Amino acid sequence: MPTMRAAFASRFDDADPLAALTVGERPEPTPPADDWVTVEVRASSLNHHDLWSLRGVGLTEAQLPMILGCDAAGVDPEGNEVVVYPVVATPGDPRGSSILSEHFPGTFAERVAVPRANLVPLPEGLTLTDAACLPTAWLTAWRMLTTKGRVDDADAVLVQGAGGGVATAAVALAVAMGKRVYATSRDAGKRERIAALGATAVEPGARLPERVGVVIETVGAATFDHSLKSAAPMARIVVSGATAGHEPKINLRRIFAMQLEILGTSMGTPGELYELLAFCADRQVRPVVDSVVPFSKVEEAFARLHGGEVFGKVVLDHTA
Ligand SMILES: NC(=O)c1ccc[n+]([C@@H]2O[C@H](COP(=O)([O-])OP(=O)(O)OC[C@H]3O[C@@H](n4cnc5c(N)ncnc54)[C@H](OP(=O)(O)O)[C@@H]3O)[C@@H](O)[C@H]2O)c1
């Protein structure tokens, strides 16, 4: 059976997810249906999702070994440069769909099989490295701000834990949309870099000079009370992750008295990915890239994400 280079979860390790990562040979993708194609991956990017997978969140033992990776940009069978939309219809999954690396093998490999309908042409002006950052973290941030957060009706936005992939995306996009953006980070160096993106950077929990119309939450328990306190009347607190704990204490009085909306969201639609790509190309918004790591050093990329030092996206260069 022909094989290819890949990075995959071979077991789960909640305490030390890096120990569950294996880099080695896996079988070439076999498209499960006629309308699937195989994409040559040129660039991919890491998400916190990949660490969750190594911890065993969202996967079962029966699904191992599972090639990791949600994001990819590469070349389709006709030679076109494409961005891969990572959400795939999945009968039997309670959500009705799954993200690559959950039921279907992911993108940290030489090649990945996806439905042809999931291929989006690479817009002019974006590189494959840029594009590999967009389909998960940036798409999530785009939907959090637009469809869910209705940011057009807000003057100010708060982004929690602003060093992360989703969070840096939300900062860059909200600044490009002309909003006043506040962003928290635990790290002074990251706060400086957030300020350079055009946001007002503050320490976690700091009182803001104004209440905001939209809060972007991916941190969870560590920041949720601050999100509630910083929200203006009728504000939307949009939640797409809970890196620091998913069971925060919530003051219900604040929710009804201020008429707040708490909205959950996950990824985005293909239409939203088209909108995001067009916005980035037209407005010259480029993803915040922490580092580009050769695929041959994929373990180092995982260690960097796990270490919490990242500012923006860690990209894998599959040509190296
Ligand atoms: N639902 C979806 O569609 C979707 C899509 C993408 C991501 N997510 C989820 O969103 C979350 C973020 O993903 P990501 O890929 O952006 O992760 P990431 O790049 O690893 O960033 C996580 C950020 O969370 C902050 N953080 C972590 N622990 C914290 C703590 N104890 N207190 C305060 N802040 C803390 C850090 O910010 P500072 O260091 O700046 O403080 C860190 O930069 C994950 O839980 C992921 O599963 C969901």
Side-chain angles (χ1 to χ4, degrees):
M1 183 186 288
T3 61
M4 62 177 180
R5 179 176 70 161
F8 52 97
S10 48
R11 61 187 180 85
F12 302 132
D13 194 324
D14 188 32
D16 182 9
L18 302 184
L21 176 69
T22 303
V23 182
E25 294 293 308
R26 293 295 306 144
E28 287 281 350
T30 42
D34 288 348
D35 56 351
W36 286 52
V37 292
T38 300
V39 173
E40 295 277 340
V41 183
R42 294 284 158 81
S44 63
S45 73
L46 273 70
N47 291 286
H48 214 91
H49 186 279
D50 303 306
L51 289 173
W52 291 127
S53 299
L54 291 168
R55 290 192 161 107
V57 178
L59 287 175
T60 62
E61 296 275 351
Q63 291 170 291
L64 296 176
M66 176 60 81
I67 300 177
L68 300 170
C70 311
D71 287 325
V75 178
D76 74 8
E78 286 76 40
N80 305 303
E81 291 187 319
V82 291
V83 188
V84 174
Y85 173 67
V87 182
V88 181
T90 310
D93 188 293
R95 300 165 297 177
S97 63
S98 66
I99 307 172
L100 291 174
S101 80
E102 292 181 343
H103 287 272
F104 300 100
T107 58
F108 295 164
E110 290 175 69
R111 281 164 286 282
V112 63
V114 290
R116 187 180 279 282
N118 286 43
L119 303 185
V120 180
L122 180 75
E124 217 166 289
L126 290 183
T127 64
L128 288 169
T129 299
D130 293 333
C133 299
L134 300 177
T136 298
W138 278 65
L139 177 61
T140 301
W142 175 262
R143 180 174 169 86
M144 291 176 87
L145 287 167
T146 58
T147 313
K148 294 285 182 170
R150 311 191 300 278
V151 72
D152 283 350
D153 297 336
D155 298 322
V157 175
L158 168 63
V159 180
Q160 299 283 16
V166 177
T168 46
V171 168
L173 290 168
V175 167
M177 290 167 182
K179 305 300 168 186
R180 287 190 297 279
V181 182
Y182 302 94
T184 66
S185 176
R186 297 162 298 172
D187 181 83
K190 288 186 191 177
R191 289 198 295 274
E192 253 177 52
R193 297 178 72 179
I194 290 159
L197 292 177
T200 300
V202 299
E203 289 188 24
R207 191 186 176 94
L208 304 182
E210 63 181 319
R211 289 209 169 100
V212 302
V214 178
V215 182
I216 299 296
E217 252 297 352
T218 59
V219 179
T223 51
F224 210 79
D225 189 55
H226 181 241
S227 294
L228 289 171
K229 286 178 177 155
S230 304
M234 318 292 280
R236 282 77 66 196
I237 299 173
V238 190
V239 183
S240 74
T243 302
H246 60 277
E247 293 182 323
K249 204 170 146 195
I250 293 182
N251 180 347
L252 291 176
R253 278 192 199 141
R254 196 169 281 276
I255 293 175
F256 63 74
M258 298 292 267
Q259 303 198 53
L260 305 180
E261 293 176 50
I262 299 177
L263 302 158
T265 190
S266 201
M267 303 298 285
T269 64
E272 287 164 336
L273 181 57
Y274 273 96
E275 285 169 15
L276 167 66
L277 289 166
F279 184 88
C280 290
D282 294 350
R283 307 288 272 276
Q284 310 215 326
V285 177
R286 295 294 174 266
V288 182
V289 175
D290 172 84
S291 45
V292 180
V293 179
F295 192 89
S296 54
K297 296 188 174 166
V298 60
E299 294 98 333
E300 287 179 20
F302 270 85
R304 189 161 173 79
L305 188 70
H306 186 236
E309 301 303 312
V310 298
F311 186 80
K313 296 288 291 172
V314 179
V315 177
L316 292 174
D317 176 0
H318 287 235
T319 64

